Amino acid sequence: MRRDPLDVPRAGPAGGREPLEIVAPGRPLPHMLHALCRYLESASADWERREAELRRSEAFLAQAQRLTRTGSLWWKPSTGEIAWSDGNYRLMGYPVGITPTVEMAMERCHPDDLPRVQETLAAAVRDGAGAEFEHRLLMPDGSVKHVRVVFQSVGTPGDPEFIGAATDITEWKRAEEGLRRSEAYLAEAQRLSSTGNFGWSAGGGRHVWSDETFRIFGLDRSAPVTRRAILERVHPEELDTVRELIARAEEGQDVDQEFRLLLPDGETRHVHVVAHGVRDRDGRLEVVGAIRDVTGERRSEEALGGLRSELARVAGVAGLGALAASIAHEVGQPLSGVVTSASTCLRMLAREPADVEGARRTARRAIRDADRAAGVIAGVRALLAGRPPAAEPVDLNAATREVAALSRGELQRGRAALRLELAGDLPPVAGDRVQLQQVVSNLLRNAVEAMGGVEDRPRQVVVRTALGEDGSVCLSVKDSGVGFEPGEAGRLFDAFYTTKPDGMGIGLAVSRSIVESHGGRLRAAPNDGPGATFAFSLPPFPGTAG
């Protein structure tokens, strides 16, 4: 059917327009005018709807650009034409609506970045290709923005046009710099404190180590971390301990342990590890922890322990020397008087006639000086006996643990292993905590020295506490040393008696004096096997015995 030139489209079901016959043969003019009015009304409503949708889309786009700090742009290098979105005006710091130019964009570019940006744009124009780069903007107020620019070519190869977007990434850059700074601070703190962190998936999966952890283990940063590589660095004597540590950690138990590493160059390092398990989102166990190099501390403890031992030896010698000098000084004068009086008495009796009365008076002076010397000796004995110990409740288990911690360096020097078997629910004992710790320390030192020449068996010291049948609190120290002959048991606690070449015979004598002053008893017995056991018992604090 031929259609009249005045036929116009009308809205169809799909939003398009179908032909609408307004002028048709035989149709009255009013009907045609009425149809035309209805069409114009429909077309106007459709145009308004489309315009509203366009405005809404533009508003959404503008809001999206504002929220993401992004602006869009169009550039045709051959004509120099540029179009910016409102977001790009805000990003560049120019009023919306002014005609943008390349020069305006370059004016905002940071002077240090300008050559690189110009070279990148020139290459894009020459090659007709897109580009992606970051640079800085130097704003009029002196502030600096970091931006990322992405654009692509939509023109012909000989006459390129570009569309793209620029995003303000200043906050992201600041966060990235803050993260880098935090990581640098953490790495420096780990280096200064000799502490590294680590993590691994239970079952021997992926390992993650900090740089300081690599340094502690003496492994190259690029080397893969495996359980085999870790165990190869562990001291042979500590392998069972570390394997047990790993097993406990992978069972979800907390770990707090010290052990030694043996590096390929023969260096021994002491490390302290703490770790615990955490579950990821999928429920898999991850072990995370920290490792600290405590070699310097242990060496300092060993050196301090050596100095303490030497100081104790020197102090003992000095004390004996001072005691001897005091006795010589205090006793020497009255003894000299006794000798003088005796000589005078003899001369008086040798006279003719004998001066009996003078000799009697001189003899009395000799007796007085002798009594004075006896008083000096009694004073020295009272000094050695000391004052009665303070009667305060003492937790013998806790006191023993403190002594064990302080004796760690001495035990390591003597290559001796210490095992504590401390009974629970022990009542406190009555006495002076420091003096009782001195006894335990003396017994530990005696045990280590007794094992000094042992090479054919482990050097082991076992300290036990227990409640005696009579309600007393007992502590024993058992060693695997050379022991002693049964006939020597009665003399071991005598002052100056010793079975050691370098011993002074003071420690056990002092220990017995302290124990007895606390109302207890110190005894020694040879073991069924090698070594000996020294033990003492003390009464419980009044009112605490079960």
Side-chain angles (χ1 to χ4, degrees), residues 453-512:
V454 172
E455 298 294 344
D456 60 345
R457 57 184 177 273
R459 302 181 183 184
Q460 189 171 65
V461 182
V462 180
V463 178
R464 293 188 179 94
T465 57
L467 188 64
E469 295 180 357
D470 58 352
S472 62
V473 179
C474 305
L475 184 144
S476 64
V477 179
K478 178 181 179 181
D479 63 64
S480 58
V482 296
F484 57 86
E485 297 295 330
E488 294 179 312
R491 303 183 58 192
L492 290 175
F493 302 102
D494 293 343
F496 306 110
Y497 178 82
T498 179
T499 60
K500 297 184 286 288
D502 299 326
M504 294 182 60
I506 295 295
L508 291 177
V510 171
S511 297
R512 184 177 65 174

Side-chain angles (χ1 to χ4, degrees), residues 381-463:
R381 291 181 62 187
L383 177 64
L384 290 176
R387 296 180 180 179
E392 59 182 5
V394 178
D395 183 343
L396 196 58
N397 282 348
T400 301
R401 290 190 187 97
E402 292 177 4
V403 172
L406 293 173
S407 303
R408 181 163 44 198
E410 189 168 2
L411 289 163
Q412 289 180 348
R413 286 194 303 275
R415 293 185 290 131
L418 173 63
R419 189 170 78 245
L420 299 180
E421 297 180 0
L422 308 181
D425 300 326
L426 285 181
V429 298
D432 186 305
R433 182 185 187 89
V434 175
Q435 289 188 7
L436 293 177
Q437 286 182 321
Q438 182 182 352
V439 173
V440 178
S441 178
N442 285 342
L443 296 182
L444 271 178
R445 185 180 301 110
N446 185 71
V448 173
E449 291 174 353
M451 297 185 297
V454 172
E455 298 294 344
D456 60 345
R457 57 184 177 273
R459 302 181 183 184
Q460 189 171 65
V461 182
V462 180
V463 178

Side-chain angles (χ1 to χ4, degrees), residues 109-120:
C109 190
H110 195 287
D112 293 343
D113 296 345
L114 183 58
R116 177 171 55 84
V117 172
Q118 290 175 331
E119 181 181 348
T120 301

